[in-house]
Amino acid sequence: LSSKKGFPPPVVRTDSNMEAGEGKTDFIDDASGATPTEEMNGAGNLMDFLDEPFPDVGTYEDFHTIDWLREKSRDTDRHRKITSKSKESLWELIKSLLDAWSGWVVMLLIGLLSGTLAGVIDLAVDWMTDLKEGVCLSAFWYSHEQCCWTSNETTFDDRDKCPQWQKWAELMTGHAEGAGAYVLNYFLYVLWALLFSFLAVSLVRVFAPYACGSGIPEIKTILSGFIIRGYLGKWTLLIKTVTLVLAVSSGLSLGKEGPLVHVACCCGNLFCSLFSKYSKNEGKRREVLSAAAAAGVSVAFGAPIGGVLFSLEEVSYYFPLKTLWRSFFAALVAAFTLRSINPFGNSRLVLFYVEYHTPWYMAELVPFILLGVFGGLWGTLFIRANIAWCRRRKTTQLGKYPVLEVIAVTGITAVLAFPNPYTRRSTSELISELFNDCGALESSQLCDYINNPNMSRPVDDIPDRPAGPGVYNALWQLALALIFKIVITIFTFGMKIPSGLFIPSMAVGAIAGRIVGIAVEQMAYHHHDWIIFKNWCRPGADCVTPGLYAMVGAAACLGGVTRMTVSLVVIMFELTGGLEYIVPLMAAAVTSKWVADAFGKEGIYESHIQLNGYPYLDVRDEFTHRTLATDVMRPRRNDPPLAVLTQDSTTVEDVEALIKDTDYNGFPVVVSRESERLIGFVQRRDLTLAIKNARQKQDGVVSSSVVYFTEDAPQLPASNPQPLKLRRILNLSPFTVTDHTPMETVVDIFRKLGLRQCLVTRSGRLLGIITKKDVLRHMAQMMNQDPESIMFN
């Protein structure tokens, strides 16, 4: 713990690496970090400059893993120091209160900004999606729906038609109908789509390469302790927000929900920089980012509780109880902000809110479970096909032309989507229509049932009726839309533009579910005397709700792709308001996870983490192989010996040569090369910075100066160069295991403590080192994978 700043006076420290019975305890003076013995020998001023925090000490290089134990210890020391100072004066007490409240202030700011950005994105997407088809003459910034709702000429039957809204062909040629108008509208639809996607990919490529993709695989990796500088930066936030609108508006098979988690985490990182408590401690920063992820899902789906559970189940690596409360608060503020903006104009947080008037029956669990099976199979197919395509993109010439790829996929999508009304509209609107229950006032093709004039029933209890021509027409269009969505989403996800997967997955499931729902409804109507329908479906009764099947199908497919369970069900019932349909949703979600897990444990995000080679230890992976720490540690049998430092016989020149000749992140410190008895561990970055600062600020430090990691620097003749004492940057309690520790235990330690490295000893003597990457390589070898292919480059 000696590398931490801000010791309270006095600190009792025990060298944890000595054998039992040899524990050495000393008292350190807070002012200089020197013991009374050192001051008597005149050595207390050797490292005085280190009492001032020199730049970047305790920080990490890009693409390195943080040391969770170190960050936790530093925060404990900081908190202890603030608490002790708060008793000294009123001003210090106020400062300590401000420090305690800073976490809640950050959560408030994250909620406000992420809610505002989500509202703006929703409004902009709505307008730009409609811009591909036409424009509002009364106010060009109105979407189609807003334009017609503000019009006095709108009728309820033709609510989508009003003189103020004109399609491009009508505006340019004066003709709204006919082949010429259709071709012109078709051409302009494709042109707008290409323009939007070209702008999106160009902005990402030029200004913020990290703004592409979903962002959730990288967020998961960052929250596990990995450093990716710039991934949550200001430019990424700005470009991701703008290009997300363009990408979704282009009509590509992608959603904005996953990227909104990335946007919210960027907001969290932005506000962390305002408070030193978070900006100087990577562990604390990740607590804020976990809460920001919850706020992101909260505004993406209008599901605050689902957002908190999503962060807990799917994204976060370390999620203490304090973070749970703060996540809840951030999600609440974000949802309240979005509700205040009211982007959908229905006083709801979501576009998909539905009210069903019929309960579900036990016999319906069979089709619900079948939809779960479909969801699991679709999830497996999608993950394997998408990963194969993304790997091909990385390893072939295709990856060198991201702009061309986006333009090509957009062109194909737009050309194939326009003729089918269910693929032409935005995916969110499609899902909304598929979820809808057919009321008396619905004008959708899906509600074109043949009415019996003799039936007189209240509006909210419409009986099952035979399907009309509109429904059969809609069925084959939906079947084509299903095939189209399944294929095109495989090639869309992973391109160099912001692309979420929630909405396309839900669309696939909702289409399949609605088709199944209509089939079951018509079977119940025409064969109500069958034994399966006899008990609960009488003639003239409202038995089956096709919209419910769409909802269950959407949950099943989303679960099959992401492997979410609890958070998925909560998100779905918050999303739709269908509280009494939790059991069908649970049945479908569990079935889809079981079926998908039978073909492979990784969800889409874990698969992309593996594809990119991020050093991520998934807590859900089980390690069952009978190997020992000695089988994994380095150095191996034919390797050169371990690079170590000695406590009192290494010169500055030796240290600088070791740093130059190796690329290790740190070095064990031993008593001597003969005994190899472990003293501690020093980080490479801290060592480099300490020597650099010592040369600048301390007179007499030259290349031949001896570096001491001991408490007492010996009395040296005046002719000898000034020694350099670096005890303060030495970690005296590095985590150690013996060479016979099972790797199952070592893997568990790395997961649960978030270690960067672990030293292997026998009877206090250093044998080797195991790093996080060594663990990942070993796990890959045990699963017959290429260990080098999973390492981040």
Side-chain angles (χ1 to χ4, degrees):
L1 298 178
S2 63
S3 62
K4 316 302 184 288
K5 296 280 176 189
F7 292 100
V11 173
V12 180
R13 186 174 64 209
T14 305
D15 190 340
S16 62
N17 290 299
M18 293 190 173
E19 288 184 70
E22 293 186 10
K24 177 185 171 186
T25 304
D26 49 46
F27 290 86
I28 304 172
D29 181 70
D30 186 45
S32 65
T35 61
T37 317
E38 288 170 346
E39 287 177 354
M40 284 163 54
N41 291 342
N45 63 347
L46 290 182
M47 278 296 286
D48 281 350
F49 74 93
L50 261 187
D51 291 333
E52 305 166 21
F54 52 89
D56 294 332
V57 70
T59 58
Y60 303 92
E61 299 281 358
D62 202 6
F63 305 122
H64 282 65
T65 303
I66 71 168
D67 189 332
W68 283 93
L69 292 177
R70 182 186 191 187
E71 299 301 299
K72 177 77 175 166
S73 179
R74 285 170 66 187
D75 184 62
T76 305
D77 288 334
R78 184 197 64 82
H79 191 264
R80 198 183 293 131
K81 190 175 182 180
I82 288 172
T83 306
S84 63
K85 276 191 171 184
S86 66
K87 297 169 185 172
E88 295 173 7
S89 66
L90 180 62
W91 173 239
E92 292 295 340
L93 178 64
I94 292 169
K95 280 169 68 176
S96 72
L97 290 173
L98 289 172
D99 179 78
W101 275 92
S102 60
W104 296 102
V105 173
V106 170
M107 294 306 133
L108 178 69
L109 294 171
I110 289 168
L112 290 170
L113 184 56
S114 55
T116 305
L117 287 176
V120 170
I121 288 169
D122 286 335
L123 290 168
V125 165
D126 207 18
W127 174 65
M128 289 179 71
T129 302
D130 289 342
L131 194 63
K132 291 186 298 183
E133 296 193 34
V135 69
C136 187
L137 299 181
S138 57
F140 74 90
W141 58 87
Y142 278 173
S143 68
H144 188 172
E145 188 179 31
Q146 289 170 319
C147 191
C148 287
W149 275 118
T150 54
S151 168
N152 295 325
E153 290 90 353
T154 307
T155 61
F156 206 92
D157 289 336
D158 290 326
R159 69 191 81 169
D160 291 336
K161 293 178 184 172
C162 57
Q164 282 83 0
W165 177 266
Q166 290 197 353
K167 293 192 174 180
W168 291 112
E170 188 181 357
L171 190 68
M172 292 177 175
T173 64
H175 299 292
E177 305 296 332
Y182 182 84
V183 170
L184 184 57
N185 282 330
Y186 198 156
F187 173 73
L188 287 169
Y189 178 92
V190 175
L191 201 64
W192 277 111
L194 291 170
L195 175 65
F196 290 157
S197 63
F198 175 72
L199 279 173
V201 71
S202 301
L203 287 170
V204 167
R205 191 166 168 75
V206 174
F207 294 106
Y210 283 151
C212 67
S214 160
I216 292 180
E218 286 77 11
I219 297 293
K220 284 185 71 144
T221 310
I222 289 169
L223 289 179
S224 76
F226 198 54
I227 303 274
I228 308 179
R229 299 215 183 280
Y231 198 82
L232 301 175
K234 299 182 189 71
W235 266 112
T236 307
L237 172 61
L238 177 64
I239 299 301
K240 186 114 185 180
T241 305
V242 174
T243 54
L244 182 54
V245 173
L246 290 164
V248 175
S249 304
S250 68
L252 283 163
S253 183
L254 48 83
K256 59 183 181 295
E257 282 65 21
L260 274 173
V261 175
H262 186 185
V263 167
C265 286
C266 288
C267 297
N269 193 56
L270 178 69
F271 292 124
C272 278
S273 61
L274 304 178
F275 298 87
S276 60
K277 175 180 177 179
Y278 298 110
S279 62
K280 293 182 179 177
N281 190 300
E282 293 291 345
K284 295 293 288 179
R285 187 196 297 262
R286 273 149 184 76
E287 290 180 25
V288 172
L289 295 179
S290 289
V297 175
S298 173
V299 292
F301 289 111
I305 301 169
V308 176
L309 290 173
F310 175 82
S311 181
L312 173 62
E313 180 184 356
E314 188 63 26
V315 182
S316 296
Y317 199 82
Y318 173 62
F319 203 85
L321 191 60
K322 179 172 60 178
T323 305
L324 181 71
W325 302 333
R326 290 183 175 173
S327 301
F328 186 76
F329 179 66
L332 169 70
V333 174
F336 177 78
T337 307
L338 185 65
R339 170 69 179 77
S340 304
I341 295 170
N342 193 17
F344 303 115
N346 58 1
S347 298
R348 304 275 183 198
L349 283 172
V350 287
L351 192 60
F352 310 138
Y353 189 84
V354 288
E355 290 182 14
Y356 300 134
H357 306 289
T358 314
W360 62 277
Y361 300 93
M362 285 300 291
E364 289 182 285
L365 274 178
V366 175
F368 293 153
I369 288 169
L370 288 175
L371 284 171
V373 173
F374 171 77
L377 293 173
W378 143 250
T380 304
L381 166 73
F382 174 79
I383 291 168
R384 291 193 176 177
N386 180 251
I387 292 298
W389 178 251
C390 289
R391 187 170 283 117
R392 185 175 178 79
R393 183 189 288 130
K394 284 182 75 137
T395 55
T396 61
Q397 293 290 319
L398 181 68
K400 296 181 179 177
Y401 306 103
V403 178
L404 204 60
E405 184 192 6
V406 170
I407 293 293
V409 173
T410 307
I412 293 167
T413 304
V415 167
L416 295 177
F418 187 84
N420 189 336
Y422 292 107
T423 50
R424 186 189 313 170
R425 69 189 63 185
S426 75
T427 315
S428 296
E429 286 178 11
L430 168 64
I431 295 170
S432 183
E433 182 170 338
L434 293 168
F435 280 8
N436 248 338
D437 195 10
C438 282
L441 303 175
E442 286 297 329
S443 58
S444 165
Q445 259 199 130
L446 287 166
C447 297
D448 181 26
Y449 289 92
I450 298 168
N451 285 311
N452 185 344
N454 298 324
M455 280 288 179
S456 58
R457 282 184 167 267
V459 168
D460 64 343
D461 189 18
I462 294 173
D464 284 348
R465 296 155 291 168
V471 174
Y472 289 114
N473 193 36
L475 278 175
W476 71 262
Q477 287 178 339
L478 283 175
L480 290 175
L482 179 65
I483 296 165
F484 171 71
K485 286 282 182 191
I486 284 174
V487 174
I488 206 70
T489 308
I490 289 167
F491 298 98
T492 305
F493 187 70
M495 291 196 304
K496 296 299 180 189
I497 50 171
S499 54
L501 191 57
F502 283 57
I503 289 293
S505 303
M506 286 174 67
V508 168
I511 294 170
R514 188 76 188 209
I515 291 170
V516 171
I518 291 171
V520 173
E521 180 192 46
Q522 292 306 302
M523 279 173 63
Y525 176 79
H526 291 291
H527 304 284
H528 54 79
D529 54 341
W530 284 9
I531 192 163
I532 55 169
F533 300 120
K534 212 168 196 174
N535 295 330
W536 55 277
C537 201
R538 298 179 307 281
D542 184 14
C543 310
V544 180
T545 308
L548 172 60
Y549 286 75
M551 191 164 87
V552 170
C557 282
L558 187 52
V561 171
T562 61
R563 309 297 160 85
M564 297 185 330
T565 49
V566 181
S567 54
L568 171 65
V569 172
V570 175
I571 285 171
M572 287 305 296
F573 87 71
E574 282 191 277
L575 189 64
T576 56
L579 191 60
E580 62 184 293
Y581 302 106
I582 285 183
V583 173
L585 290 171
M586 288 172 73
V590 168
T591 307
S592 71
K593 181 171 172 58
W594 282 343
V595 171
D597 280 352
F599 295 96
K601 294 287 184 187
E602 292 91 13
I604 186 67
Y605 301 130
E606 290 78 19
S607 299
H608 272 270
I609 286 171
Q610 268 191 15
L611 179 71
N612 292 324
Y614 297 129
Y616 180 77
L617 269 174
D618 196 342
V619 290
R620 288 175 288 196
D621 285 345
E622 292 180 10
F623 187 86
T624 54
H625 305 282
R626 296 172 66 86
T627 50
L628 301 176
T630 189
D631 302 323
V632 180
M633 72 176 193
R634 287 181 295 161
R636 301 288 168 81
R637 187 162 294 166
N638 299 321
D639 289 351
L642 198 64
V644 296
L645 299 171
T646 55
Q647 66 174 358
D648 55 8
S649 60
T650 312
T651 63
V652 170
E653 186 178 24
D654 295 336
V655 174
E656 288 176 332
L658 187 63
I659 290 170
K660 186 180 177 183
D661 296 341
T662 64
D663 57 358
Y664 305 131
N665 290 332
F667 305 97
V669 178
V670 294
V671 173
S672 65
R673 293 187 186 278
E674 292 74 35
S675 75
E676 290 194 340
R677 194 175 183 77
L678 182 65
I679 298 294
F681 191 85
V682 64
Q683 300 287 349
R684 175 198 188 90
R685 186 174 174 81
D686 291 353
L687 200 57
T688 308
L689 289 165
I691 292 174
K692 180 182 174 185
N693 276 268
R695 283 187 180 278
Q696 290 173 356
K697 296 183 180 180
Q698 191 174 335
D699 294 333
V701 173
V702 292
S703 295
S704 56
S705 296
V706 177
V707 176
Y708 285 94
F709 291 100
T710 54
E711 287 289 355
D712 308 321
Q715 290 289 348
L716 298 171
S719 58
N720 282 30
Q722 176 85 308
L724 179 59
K725 185 163 176 285
L726 297 183
R727 177 81 168 187
R728 285 292 297 273
I729 65 167
L730 180 66
N731 179 6
L732 283 168
S733 54
F735 211 94
T736 59
V737 295
T738 69
D739 52 334
H740 287 288
T741 306
M743 270 310 292
E744 189 177 357
T745 306
V746 174
V747 170
D748 222 25
I749 289 168
F750 268 88
R751 276 192 192 128
K752 291 178 178 173
L753 294 179
L755 299 183
R756 294 180 87 188
Q757 69 277 317
C758 178
L759 299 174
V760 183
T761 61
R762 183 192 291 163
S763 305
R765 183 170 166 269
L766 180 67
L767 295 182
I769 187 170
I770 300 174
T771 65
K772 191 174 182 180
K773 287 189 176 181
D774 292 329
V775 172
L776 285 163
R777 281 194 187 95
H778 182 65
M779 290 175 74
Q781 282 174 330
M782 292 294 103
M783 291 187 285
N784 298 318
Q785 295 174 352
D786 176 16
E788 296 308 314
S789 69
I790 64 159
M791 285 300 105
F792 182 71
N793 183 0

